Amino acid sequence: MNGRTYSACTADGCKCPDGFKGDGIHKCEDIDECKERTACQCKECNCKNTWGSYECGCSGGLLYMKEHDTCISKSAAAQVGWNFLWVVFFGLAAVGIAAYAVYKYRIRRYMDSEIRAIMAQYMPLENQGEIPSNSHHIEM
């Protein structure tokens, strides 16, 4: 950028870093990613070359996604996020209601069986039949 160059040699040899081109010995010059059209190519993208890199933005209030080299709507991303949140919320609510219904059913069955057991100790129930009595009348 602006004609600046440098060399990039280490103990392993000479090589230009990312964002630069050249032999690494005599010179490494900045790659203009915007002119060479290697990045920031979507129609809403605004490219600005920087020293060793580039900056990409989007017009119209859009959000740039570097990994996909595209612009997306900020509100659409937020809408998808809220929809996902609502699905999770209603899913958890449905699971909670189902768990409560199962709990109530099981506790009611348990309580019914306990009440029947207690009542059976004091009086015969209709489905148990008569309990024979072994009482003998003793005369004195």
Side-chain angles (χ1 to χ4, degrees), residues 109-122:
R109 282 188 58 207
Y110 174 74
M111 291 303 292
D112 284 349
S113 69
E114 287 293 311
I115 290 170
R116 284 185 178 278
I118 292 169
M119 289 178 68
Q121 291 176 358
Y122 298 102

Side-chain angles (χ1 to χ4, degrees), residues 7-17 22-26 28:
S7 65
C9 294
T10 63
D12 297 331
C14 299
K15 177 182 148 191
C16 292
D23 59 11
I25 299 170
H26 298 98
C28 289

Side-chain angles (χ1 to χ4, degrees), residues 29-59:
E29 50 189 357
D30 178 53
I31 297 171
D32 189 341
E33 292 85 359
C34 299
K35 274 187 188 171
E36 294 188 11
R37 303 186 65 75
T38 57
C40 200
Q41 296 304 302
C42 63
K43 67 179 184 174
E44 300 91 0
C45 293
N46 301 320
C47 188
K48 178 185 175 193
N49 190 46
T50 61
W51 180 246
S53 188
Y54 66 96
E55 291 176 4
C56 193
C58 298
S59 58

Side-chain angles (χ1 to χ4, degrees), residues 97-110:
I97 290 169
Y100 180 73
V102 168
Y103 165 76
K104 288 298 279 182
Y105 173 75
R106 291 192 67 186
I107 198 76
R108 177 165 287 163
R109 282 188 58 207
Y110 174 74

